[in-house]
Amino acid sequence: MHTEKIYLTALCFLVFGATILMADSDPDKKGQVPLEPAPEVKLTLKEASTCEDLKNSKPWNQAVVFSLKNRKVTCYCSFDPVPEKTFIQHRWFHKDRLNARRKLILKPPRWSTFSTIQMRENDKGPWRVEIMGPDGKVFQTLRFSITD
Amino acid sequence: MNSSLFIFFDSIRWQDLVDIGLNSYILFRLYVLLRGTRMFRILIGILFLWFLQKIADSQGLIVTSWAMQAITAVSALIIIVVFSHEIRNLFRTRDFVALLWGFPKKNDLTPVEVITDSIFKMASRHCGALLVFPGRNDLSDILKSGIATDSIISREIIQSIFWQGNPVHDGAVIIENNRITHVASILPLSDRTDLPKFYGTRHRAAKGLAESTDAMVVLVSEEKGNIMVAKGMNLEEIGNPAELKKHLKLQGVHDGGKGNGFAVMHLKTMMAALMCVIFVTGIWYGVTRGISHTLISLEAPIEYINRDPEMNIIDTTIDVVRLRLSGSDVLVNSIKPDQVRVKVDMAAAKVGYNSFVIENENIILPPGINLSKIDPRIVEMNIDAPKQKIFPIQPDWTGILKEDLILASIKIYPKELRLKGNTRVLYGISTVYTEKLDLNSIKKSGEIIVKPVIPAGVSLDPKSNAHQIKIVYIVNKRDVEEAE
């Protein structure tokens, strides 16, 4: 009889303890503190420049003035982090007039990309390149001139 | 009929009444100042010619109308030249108040009392006399025989004329108004044979003129010292001054007293005033209402009033409004373009698109012209106002940099500047460039001071410190290794 009481008491403790444990593991229970959401990772422009060309996937001869003799101008940009596969645009303006638009793909976790325009005789003058995100936000505007 | 009459009276404005009253008074004043003068009669003649011209014009008598018009124009010119002396006197001798108010004192009324008194005095002294008071008949033949004079009547003058020592005492005097116009006039003698024997030459002369004209002759017998009045076929003896005055009055001789003559004169003046009002009213009616009613359509430019000087009208849907106007032929044909104005009040205008309704109150027309239609009634406009906006500055490089050099980077101070201008103009600008910067002279890193090139239509904010821009540039050696 005494032994039965001991077994019964132990069983009650077991049931009680299991109930508490089950309550702890259920996040939907009232009075429980939710977990902190993970910080949002934003697409971030790490580096941008205009250059004569790329060398080892890095800008070569970064400059703000380009001679027609070089024949081309490259706009290099590097994003870190890239949270998801997305795209950006390089919008090339000659004297405030949109001259060219290049759509460039970005992939996680980081990505470097570039676009190039060929220079012609009547391209001389002030230029700018807008690096624009998918939502239309301009990350940076790079300004340069094309001269003789 | 009643309703049309009511509409007519309802259409009369207070300005019309003032117009009629003022012009009637001016005409009346001209009458008062010029009546009795030759100029007045000629003016009436010119007016008559003008009426004839209008009638001829309306009836399509081209040559007659043209001739009348020419005569009227020449007459008006002649009257100014010929009567320049009278016109000058009119303005010189009368003060301003006299021109506008009051009646000129005309002492041309016959002094009946003086004449009567003189005649009875001469009668008492047996001083023979013959006085002629003309009627409407022409006495020019008789007047030729006399001596013209221009004496104002007085007792002394009358008695001295008929004084026996005076060379002209034998003739008759002619009295017109307040003047003795002729003396020593020889009157025609009566041919009648039934006259009493005691009638002398003076009696026969008085009878002769009275029988042949409507003139009245008063004679004083030198022999008997009695006074007789000859009128028509009658020769009546006068017993007392009252009787003589009665005869003079019957002849139309009045002295301006409070009697009938005074009343007649005032009645004439009142009639003249009434005629002036009727005449001017007729002209007003002819001009403003007219017989023919004309409808015209004309375009009037829109004037914008109460515009905020800061606001600029960029564009409008319309610049002119077509108005349909009606009125009398004369008024409509005399409309000048600057008399018709369309005003739009911009006090409530806002930056952006605005719409204004052109109401009848917005149209200003000459008096007497009616507005029938406005087309279009709505004007839409785009209004802009100056704003300020910040722009980045970009250097405008030119020339050739040495081949072994590269302009790696620049820094601009200040980086941006503030421009002021209309929104639309500012919208078309994204960058402010500097004046041309020559690369040929650049050998190494350095700095340069330049001026910004401000685009047309905008201005640099006065508070801005970007009148001069400093550019610090970094020059590097070119990497000549082959790129990938």
Side-chain angles (χ1 to χ4, degrees):
Chain A
M1 187 67 184
H2 184 69
T3 310
E4 285 179 353
K5 281 185 178 175
I6 291 169
Y7 284 132
L8 194 60
T9 305
L11 186 63
C12 286
F13 272 110
L14 278 171
V15 170
F16 184 70
T19 306
I20 290 169
L21 285 172
M22 283 174 74
D24 279 344
S25 64
D26 189 352
D28 295 330
K29 283 283 181 185
K30 260 188 174 178
Q32 299 302 308
V33 179
L35 292 173
E36 285 286 328
E40 189 183 348
V41 180
K42 287 185 177 176
L43 179 67
T44 306
L45 178 65
K46 187 182 173 188
E47 184 187 349
S49 65
T50 49
C51 55
E52 291 181 351
D53 209 338
L54 294 179
K55 191 174 181 181
N56 299 326
S57 300
K58 289 291 175 187
W60 180 69
N61 278 342
Q62 292 180 31
V64 291
V65 174
F66 298 91
S67 171
L68 278 173
K69 292 173 188 169
N70 295 330
R71 294 184 181 175
K72 65 177 184 178
V73 178
T74 300
C75 176
Y76 168 85
C77 60
S78 172
F79 285 86
D80 186 11
V82 179
E84 58 186 353
K85 185 180 177 183
T86 185
F87 69 91
I88 59 159
Q89 279 192 69
H90 282 182
R91 288 153 59 90
W92 296 77
F93 290 87
H94 180 208
K95 292 178 182 172
D96 295 334
R97 188 174 171 188
L98 185 63
N99 193 276
R101 193 187 338 224
R102 302 278 185 271
K103 190 173 177 181
L104 305 165
I105 301 295
L106 302 180
K107 292 178 181 175
R110 63 189 67 85
W111 200 265
S112 296
T113 187
F114 68 96
S115 68
T116 300
I117 59 158
Q118 299 297 317
M119 287 188 279
R120 291 164 298 184
E121 179 64 28
N122 56 1
D123 285 339
K124 284 189 285 188
W127 282 73
R128 74 173 191 269
V129 188
E130 287 179 356
I131 301 168
M132 184 186 282
D135 55 354
K137 176 194 167 190
V138 176
F139 285 103
Q140 192 173 338
T141 301
L142 300 170
R143 297 177 185 277
F144 63 95
S145 288
I146 294 176
T147 64
D148 293 317
Chain B
M1 179 67 185
N2 285 338
S3 64
S4 62
L5 207 61
F6 176 76
I7 290 167
F8 170 73
F9 281 114
D10 191 49
S11 70
I12 297 174
R13 308 166 305 149
W14 66 267
Q15 290 96 331
D16 297 329
L17 297 175
V18 172
D19 207 16
I20 293 168
L22 195 65
N23 285 285
S24 299
Y25 189 72
I26 291 169
L27 191 65
F28 177 67
R29 289 308 301 171
L30 281 174
Y31 165 77
V32 167
L33 295 170
L34 300 175
R35 69 179 163 185
T37 64
R38 284 185 302 151
M39 191 162 75
F40 184 74
R41 287 192 285 274
I42 289 173
L43 277 176
I44 296 292
I46 289 176
L47 197 65
F48 181 68
L49 281 175
W50 181 72
F51 268 115
L52 275 183
Q53 188 259 320
K54 288 291 171 194
I55 291 167
D57 197 26
S58 66
Q59 297 302 313
L61 307 175
I62 299 165
V63 178
T64 310
S65 168
W66 179 83
M68 291 293 175
Q69 200 170 7
I71 292 168
T72 310
V74 172
S75 303
L77 192 67
I78 287 170
I79 203 169
I80 293 169
V81 175
V82 173
F83 297 103
S84 60
H85 182 69
E86 283 86 345
I87 294 168
R88 192 165 56 246
N89 284 345
L90 187 73
F91 289 99
R92 184 188 288 170
T93 58
R94 296 169 199 280
D95 58 290
F96 190 67
V97 176
L99 276 176
L100 299 177
W101 194 253
F103 293 88
K105 289 177 183 174
K106 295 219 171 199
N107 292 322
D108 56 354
L109 299 174
T110 312
V112 174
E113 193 67 40
V114 172
I115 293 168
T116 311
D117 192 35
S118 302
I119 288 170
F120 273 87
K121 272 191 177 170
M122 288 190 293
S124 65
R125 294 202 302 256
H126 289 258
C127 177
L130 263 179
L131 298 95
V132 177
F133 297 90
R136 293 183 182 280
N137 291 157
D138 184 21
L139 301 180
S140 54
D141 288 343
I142 298 157
L143 299 179
K144 279 177 194 169
S145 65
I147 299 166
T149 182
D150 189 24
S151 303
I152 293 173
I153 292 171
S154 68
R155 290 179 181 83
E156 293 76 15
I157 286 286
I158 293 173
Q159 289 174 39
S160 63
I161 287 171
F162 293 107
W163 172 60
Q164 286 194 344
N166 194 326
V168 297
H169 80 278
D170 263 345
V173 297
I174 313 297
I175 293 176
E176 289 183 64
N177 300 327
N178 64 334
R179 288 172 187 272
I180 297 166
T181 58
H182 290 79
V183 296
S185 298
I186 308 299
L187 305 184
L189 298 177
S190 175
D191 296 332
R192 286 174 62 177
T193 55
D194 57 337
L195 294 176
K197 295 290 180 190
F198 61 86
Y199 279 10
T201 311
R202 198 168 272 123
H203 290 83
R204 285 185 176 278
K207 280 289 287 175
L209 184 69
E211 284 167 3
S212 58
T213 68
D214 63 347
M216 186 181 85
V217 184
V218 178
L219 74 92
V220 179
S221 171
E222 189 178 345
E223 197 175 319
K224 293 188 175 179
N226 62 347
I227 299 165
M228 300 187 90
V229 168
K231 174 72 180 171
M233 299 301 287
N234 299 323
L235 185 64
E236 188 182 332
E237 187 169 347
I238 302 298
N240 55 62
E243 209 175 334
L244 179 59
K245 283 178 188 172
K246 186 182 168 188
H247 280 278
L248 288 170
K249 192 175 173 183
L250 284 172
Q251 182 63 10
V253 178
H254 52 82
D255 57 0
K258 293 291 178 186
N260 195 28
F262 184 80
V264 168
M265 189 190 72
H266 277 259
L267 188 66
K268 276 186 179 176
T269 307
M270 292 295 288
M271 284 298 291
L274 186 65
M275 285 303 292
C276 288
V277 172
I278 291 170
F279 180 74
V280 172
T281 306
I283 290 179
W284 169 83
Y285 184 81
V287 170
T288 59
R289 301 299 190 268
I291 299 165
S292 58
H293 199 73
T294 306
L295 186 71
I296 62 159
S297 181
L298 61 83
E299 285 187 343
I302 301 173
E303 296 175 35
Y304 299 104
I305 58 169
N306 298 327
R307 182 175 68 86
D308 185 346
E310 290 287 297
M311 288 185 174
N312 293 323
I313 299 172
I314 304 301
D315 53 38
T316 57
T317 51
I318 50 167
D319 293 324
V320 293
V321 176
R322 181 165 286 279
L323 304 173
R324 194 171 293 170
L325 308 174
S326 63
S328 80
D329 192 26
V330 178
L331 287 181
V332 168
N333 290 329
S334 63
I335 293 176
K336 292 175 184 170
D338 59 344
Q339 288 181 306
V340 179
R341 303 174 77 178
V342 181
K343 291 188 174 184
V344 172
D345 190 352
M346 289 184 64
K350 293 174 182 175
V351 173
Y353 279 92
N354 292 260
S355 182
F356 295 99
V357 178
I358 302 172
E359 304 284 359
N360 290 18
E361 294 75 38
N362 298 114
I363 314 294
I364 296 171
L365 298 171
I369 299 293
N370 302 312
L371 178 64
S372 306
K373 190 181 176 185
I374 304 169
D375 183 34
R377 275 193 171 269
I378 294 174
V379 54
E380 290 177 347
M381 66 178 69
N382 185 13
I383 295 174
D384 200 359
K387 283 186 176 177
Q388 293 185 352
K389 193 178 172 186
I390 295 171
F391 294 94
I393 301 167
Q394 182 172 352
D396 188 5
W397 299 100
T398 185
I400 304 172
L401 197 63
K402 281 185 72 178
E403 279 193 16
D404 61 328
L405 297 179
I406 194 164
L407 195 63
S409 65
I410 56 167
K411 285 185 178 176
I412 303 170
Y413 303 100
K415 285 183 179 177
E416 44 197 25
L417 54 72
R418 187 187 297 269
L419 292 182
K420 189 179 175 185
N422 290 327
T423 312
R424 203 169 106 163
V425 180
L426 292 175
Y427 181 77
I429 302 169
S430 57
T431 308
V432 174
Y433 300 103
T434 66
E435 56 190 1
K436 297 281 184 189
L437 300 175
D438 190 14
L439 291 166
N440 296 317
S441 57
I442 292 178
K443 305 285 189 294
K444 58 180 181 178
S445 299
E447 63 181 49
I448 189 170
I449 303 295
V450 289
K451 289 179 181 175
V453 177
I454 306 300
V458 294
S459 60
L460 192 62
D461 181 21
K463 296 174 187 173
S464 173
N465 57 348
H467 298 281
Q468 289 193 319
I469 296 158
K470 185 168 86 171
I471 295 172
V472 179
Y473 51 90
I474 308 295
V475 176
N476 291 338
K477 284 282 181 186
R478 177 185 294 280
D479 184 356
V480 292
E481 286 182 31
E482 199 64 32
E484 64 186 12

